Amino acid sequence: MNVEHGGPGAGFAAHASWLELSASSLRHNVEVFRALEAVAAGPRRRLGAVLKGNAYGHGFRQTLPLVHAGVDLLYLIDPLDALAVRAFEREQGLAPRQVLVLGAVAPEEAVALAREGVDAVVADRSWEEAGALLRAAKLERPLRAHVHIDTGLGREGFTLEQLPRDTGFLSEYRDVLQVVGVLSHFANTEDVTEQGYALAQLDAFETGMARLVAQLSPARPLERHIAASAASLVLPRARYDALRVGIALYGLWPSVETRLSARLVLGEVPALKPVLTWKCRSQAVKWLPAGSYVGYGCTYRCSEPTRIAVLPVGYFDGYPRLVSGKAHVLVNGRRCAVLGRVMMNHLIVDVTRATTDERPVTATLLGHDGEESVSAEALATWAQTIHYELVTRLGAHLRRVVVD
Ligand SMILES: *Cc1c(COP(=O)(O)O)cnc(C)c1O
C-alpha cells in the first residue's frame, strides 16, 4: 500500500478503517428538500447545506464537491472554512456560491470575508470594532451581514430586549456592513412533537425583524432564515426564504420525534438515506480457547472457544468507549458482538459464526451489510449520546472515500 504520512495517527490504522460517502444518497437527500419546496406555495425557497463540524464528520473536503452544485448556499461555522470554499471554487473554475459563516468572526477575519464576498452573522455589539476595521481597510464592497435574533435559544444574537437599542451601530456602519439577512435558531424542535415553543420563537422572530426593518430600512427585502433540518421538515411556517439543513442532508433524522411529526405534517415520511458507512479491515483473526479473557480489565471471558477479529480501530478514531459490551459490528452480513472494552486503537469482535477460517475480514461499524445494519442512531444510543455527536467525532484522520 502506498501510504503518505499525513500527520499524527495517519499511518496503517487510519487506512485500515475508512469512511465511505455515498454521493447518490447525498443527492437523494437534497432532492427530498427540493421536493418540500415544490409542495410549498410561493417563490422558490433557497436550500442551504450546513457543513460545520467537518461536515458532520463526513469530511469537509470530501463533502464540499458533492454538495456545491446541488444547493444554493453553504453554511459554515469557521471563517477559514468559508475561505476554503472560495479557494475550491477558484481551483475548479466554479461560480461562487453564497457562503455564510454562522459562527463567531474576529474583526480581522471580517475583513478577509468581505474581500472574498462571504456573508457573516452579526450577533452582538462586538461588531462595532469590526465595522471600524472594515472602514479602515477601504474595501471595494461592504461585508454582507445577517443579523442574528435570539428568539429563545439563549445563545448568540440580539434578544428582543436589545432590539433596536443595541443595533443602532448598524446604521452608522452601513457603508461597510450591508445588512442583507436576518436569522434565528430554534431551541426545541427536535425533542418534541408539540411545537408550542417553536411557534413562540417564530412570533419573536417576526417582532424582531419588524423592529430591524423599521430601524435600518434596508434597500431590499431581508433574506429570512430560521429552519434547520427538523423545522424545515415539520414546521412549514418556519421555512421563509432559506433552509439551513444539516443532519438530514447526511441522511439522518434529527430525532425520533421529528420522524413521527413528519408523518403527520407531510402525510408520509420521506426516505432519508444515510450517506456514511464506516468499515474496518481486521488486523488479526484467531481462536481463543474457552476461559480466555478479552481486553483491558478482563471484563469479558469466553465461555466457549471463540474466533475473534482484532480490528485496528478504537476510541481514538471516534468509536465510543461507552459502547463496550453493548455494540455489534457486521461481518459477512452477520452481527458480531463487541467483546470487552473498546480500546484506544483496538476493538475485539466475535466472528465465530461470521466467517469460516482465519483469513482477514472486513467489518462494518456503521452502515449496511446484507440484511443487517448499524445506524448512527443505534451506535449513539449505546454510547448514551446523540448521533450528531457521534458523527462529528469521527476522527478527522480517517480516510474518506466517495462512492456512488
Ligand atoms: C447546526 C445548525 C443548523 C443545522 O442543524 P441540523 O439540525 O443539523 O439541521 C442550522 N442552523 C444553525 C444556526 C446551526 O447551528
Side-chain angles (χ1 to χ4, degrees):
M1 188 169 13
N2 182 12
V3 178
E4 273 177 50
H5 191 66
F12 169 75
H15 290 265
S17 146
W18 70 96
L19 301 171
E20 289 178 3
L21 310 183
S22 163
S24 59
S25 296
L26 195 54
R27 282 194 300 272
H28 166 88
N29 300 330
V30 166
E31 283 317 311
V32 166
F33 284 87
R34 291 284 184 208
L36 280 184
E37 300 180 29
V39 170
R44 185 166 179 271
R45 203 166 270 121
R46 310 185 74 225
L47 176 60
V50 181
L51 299 182
K52 66 187 180 188
N54 197 22
Y56 289 61
H58 291 59
F60 174 74
R61 197 166 55 75
Q62 294 81 4
T63 306
L64 176 62
L66 301 180
V67 298
H68 191 276
V71 300
D72 305 307
L73 63 138
L74 301 166
Y75 296 103
L76 307 157
I77 287 284
D78 189 333
L80 290 180
D81 286 344
L83 301 181
V85 173
R86 289 292 179 252
F88 164 76
E89 289 166 341
R90 271 196 291 274
E91 221 174 82
Q92 303 287 317
L94 300 169
R97 280 266 175 272
Q98 185 182 354
V99 175
L100 193 155
V101 174
L102 292 167
V105 173
E108 309 74 43
E109 290 173 324
V111 175
L113 296 185
R115 284 212 170 91
E116 292 283 9
V118 171
D119 300 8
V121 170
V122 170
D124 54 65
R125 293 192 59 166
S126 71
W127 276 86
E128 281 181 76
E129 192 187 333
L133 260 192
L134 285 164
R135 204 172 264 164
K138 299 201 188 325
L139 302 167
E140 279 166 33
R141 51 185 170 186
L143 177 66
R144 290 164 46 90
H146 298 241
V147 178
H148 199 135
I149 305 177
D150 180 359
T151 56
L153 177 60
R155 206 171 72 181
E156 70 268 62
F158 298 95
T159 60
L160 286 189
E161 272 264 280
Q162 293 175 290
L163 279 173
R165 189 186 71 215
D166 287 357
T167 43
F169 75 94
L170 288 167
S171 305
E172 238 169 89
Y173 284 106
R174 69 189 324 149
D175 56 317
V176 288
L177 279 176
Q178 182 191 8
V179 175
V180 296
V182 57
L183 74 148
S184 190
H185 193 39
F186 287 117
N188 197 22
T189 44
E190 292 85 4
D191 293 346
V192 292
T193 49
E194 193 282 313
Q195 297 292 349
Y197 194 80
L199 293 173
Q201 282 194 265
L202 283 175
D203 290 341
F205 190 45
E206 302 269 345
T207 303
M209 283 194 288
R211 289 185 196 170
L212 265 181
V213 168
Q215 182 178 37
L216 304 173
S217 28
R220 281 192 219 110
L222 299 179
E223 182 172 77
R224 304 160 301 167
H225 46 108
I226 186 169
S229 297
S232 298
L233 289 160
V234 304
L235 201 57
R237 192 188 144 198
R239 290 180 190 151
Y240 292 102
D241 303 315
L243 308 178
R244 299 193 306 260
V245 184
I247 195 99
L249 219 49
Y250 305 95
L252 305 175
W253 279 87
S255 66
V256 173
E257 288 80 0
T258 305
R259 211 187 151 104
L260 285 170
S261 302
R263 185 181 297 283
L264 293 172
V265 174
L266 303 171
E268 63 175 315
V269 181
L272 293 174
K273 297 188 179 172
V275 169
L276 194 79
T277 298
W278 189 6
K279 291 187 180 167
C280 188
R281 191 85 177 137
S282 67
Q283 172 180 342
V285 176
K286 65 181 182 189
W287 280 100
L288 292 181
S292 303
Y293 293 97
V294 176
Y296 293 135
C298 299
T299 58
Y300 184 83
R301 191 173 193 190
C302 303
S303 57
E304 53 189 87
T306 305
R307 179 164 37 215
I308 61 163
V310 179
L311 305 178
V313 62
Y315 57 79
F316 167 61
D317 305 291
Y319 198 85
R321 185 170 177 278
L322 270 176
V323 309
S324 302
K326 292 192 254 181
H328 58 257
V329 305
L330 307 174
V331 174
N332 295 326
R334 283 177 181 260
R335 296 182 183 202
C336 301
V338 169
L339 304 181
R341 289 185 186 157
V342 174
M343 293 166 267
M344 186 185 296
N345 304 106
H346 296 93
L347 186 64
I348 313 294
V349 297
D350 182 349
V351 292
T352 306
R353 286 168 192 83
T355 184
T356 51
D357 53 38
E358 286 156 56
R359 282 178 301 181
V361 295
T362 297
T364 300
L365 313 182
L366 269 181
H368 283 272
D369 182 1
E371 299 286 292
E372 292 284 357
S373 71
V374 178
S375 66
E377 289 89 340
L379 197 55
T381 303
W382 290 325
Q384 294 169 42
T385 184
I386 55 171
H387 49 341
Y388 284 80
E389 182 180 358
L390 182 97
V391 292
T392 53
R393 283 173 165 262
L394 292 171
H397 60 279
L398 296 175
R399 187 159 58 101
R400 286 157 169 87
V401 187
V402 176
V403 298
D404 192 51

